[in-house]
Amino acid sequence: MRPGQGRSYVLRFISGKYQGGEFPIVNDKPIIVGRSSDLDMVLVEDMVSRKHARITMQQDQIWIEDLGSTNGTFVNGEKIKRARLKEGDRVLIGTSILKVIAGEGSRADSTDAKRDLENVAAARRTTQARTMSGSIEEVPLPDLLQLFATSKKSGVLVIRTESDDIGKIYMRKGVIYYASINDLDDVPPMKSIFRMLTWQKGLFDLDPPDEREFPNEMNLSVQEVLMEGLRQLDEFNEIRNELPDLNTRLVLSQPVIPPLRDLKPEELDILQLAHNYGHLETVLNKSLSTDLDTVQFILKLIKGAYLRPE
């Protein structure tokens, strides 16, 4: 970078029909974003207003302003009227998530960038890409859920991991009402969400709403789910190293020396599950308690010589 030259920034599309595209932010050159074809950044989709937002950079400070759009502009999950952007921030406009990243000193012409976005959208149409997709490495699941909650999205958030697990979170106007992993019926929806929060890598898609009714539907705000889920995740990580492998078989000690009357009802339930099903993973799936409570019970039963891992 030449002496006296300001920092260079780029808006990178990390989700939506323009995913993979980039648009340069240039000092003193406002970017008007909207559906109208005569604007600087044209996003052709129903949830984007004709003139949606303005992005400007002056003296290396980047600002975004909503221009009275119908569906709003969001920065890091918060609906804004005007906000300052910094490197790493995520902006949601329509179904597009844009990330502010440092550029490499290039000052590409906005006309070229506009044409490049059109080419990206055309290429994605030929692959029949879903409306909204991306990587949870780029947009971690908690951030993604907050974006969908604030913008009151409806649909099924599908996450596919490298180990071929498929998680689904069902949302209605930004509220979570069901969740599953690999369509397993015996894992409660809340437990499924908490497990998904541990996933670090994978691809996501927002599929259209699913009109099925589920027998154990929830009605929870994303904030409620994340507060409890991230608390459990922190505590779970503290004892993770003490846990046997998920494929470990749990067996009752022979003979059972310590008295069963010393155990709480919930601990007796886990002891029964271990006796009936054996494998740790199955016990976790069958337990009515959270994964955190279940593993705490299992560790207590192992340390108390009621169970032993094989």
Side-chain angles (χ1 to χ4, degrees), residues 76-126:
N76 298 329
E78 297 291 328
K79 191 172 186 178
I80 59 97
K81 289 187 176 179
R82 186 171 186 267
R84 185 177 171 185
L85 295 176
K86 61 184 185 300
E87 186 177 345
D89 282 348
R90 299 179 184 92
V91 177
L92 175 67
I93 296 177
T95 64
S96 292
I97 302 176
L98 303 84
K99 185 176 182 180
V100 180
I101 63 171
E104 297 179 353
S106 62
R107 290 289 192 254
D109 184 81
S110 60
T111 305
D112 294 338
K114 183 176 178 180
R115 184 180 62 247
D116 290 345
L117 283 186
E118 292 171 357
N119 293 337
V120 167
R124 285 179 65 79
R125 275 198 300 274
T126 61

